[in-house]
Amino acid sequence: MENALNLIKSKNFVKSAVIDILALAFIYLMPTIVHFFSFPLYYADPMRIVLILTIAHTSKPNSLLIALTLPLFSFIIASHPSFYKSFLIAGELVSNLLLFYYISKRINNVFGSMILSIAASKLLYYAAKYLFISAGLIQGELVTTPVWIQAAAALAFSIYAYFILRNRTE
């Protein structure tokens, strides 16, 4: 029995490691992808895509690690986003993750939990971004991605999470 548990644990570790490496490679190659397709990739919310994939296919601790480090990794590798914006994005991703697990325990609905956690984390992000802009830490407009694109992405992410996680028990 113990050997079976070790095998399961090692499979989960390998699965998490593969997803993490692919996530880092994706972020590492993002500037090249953007130049190749001439499309503002940030519209697709790539770091949230990675977060949703880790929530759906790995563990909560691994998802937290990705949420905390992916923006910093992107800043170190590509100098984008800026340091302060990386901090904001990490906060948004961590709040998305924690709110998802908090809400899902209360309402037992993956779709609703995901869409509510995304919306709430976006509100927290924009409130913090407003403060950072007001303090002169970052430049630019408060909302750069059209709201309808953000809503469509949140809907798509929530549908994906629903189909992947609907039968999972924590």
Side-chain angles (χ1 to χ4, degrees):
M1 181 67 166
E2 188 173 33
N3 287 338
L5 287 175
N6 288 335
L7 181 62
I8 290 169
K9 286 180 183 177
S10 67
K11 281 185 180 180
N12 287 339
F13 174 79
V14 170
K15 183 179 178 181
S16 291
V18 167
I19 289 174
D20 291 353
I21 290 167
L22 290 174
L24 294 175
F26 176 66
I27 296 303
Y28 186 78
L29 295 171
M30 193 180 313
T32 304
I33 295 168
V34 168
H35 290 299
F36 183 73
F37 289 109
S38 297
F39 174 77
L41 196 58
Y42 67 90
Y43 276 15
D45 207 350
M47 291 195 201
R48 190 175 320 273
I49 290 171
V50 172
L51 177 66
I52 301 302
L53 289 172
T54 62
I55 290 171
H57 300 287
T58 71
S59 65
K60 184 178 178 180
N62 187 65
S63 297
L64 183 58
L65 177 68
I66 289 295
L68 285 169
T69 60
L70 202 55
L72 180 61
F73 177 80
S74 181
F75 170 72
I76 290 168
I77 295 301
S79 296
H80 185 77
S82 69
F83 176 75
Y84 290 114
K85 188 105 185 257
S86 296
F87 179 76
L88 288 172
I89 293 169
E92 179 185 10
L93 295 176
V94 168
S95 65
N96 188 166
L97 172 71
L98 297 177
L99 286 167
F100 170 73
Y101 283 108
Y102 177 81
I103 295 168
S104 64
K105 284 184 181 178
R106 298 299 166 293
I107 68 171
N108 198 25
N109 179 307
V110 173
F111 177 83
S113 299
M114 187 58 75
I115 203 143
L116 287 172
S117 67
I118 291 171
S121 67
K122 286 225 171 262
L123 289 174
L124 291 171
Y125 168 79
Y126 284 118
K129 186 177 179 184
Y130 175 79
L131 293 174
F132 276 46
I133 291 171
S134 297
L137 297 173
I138 60 174
Q139 307 288 315
E141 295 186 29
L142 183 61
V143 179
T144 55
T145 302
V147 174
W148 73 269
I149 291 175
Q150 295 182 55
L155 182 63
F157 299 152
S158 300
I159 291 169
Y160 179 81
Y162 170 76
F163 281 111
I164 299 300
L165 298 172
R166 65 183 171 197
N167 296 322
R168 183 187 289 180
T169 56
E170 295 273 358

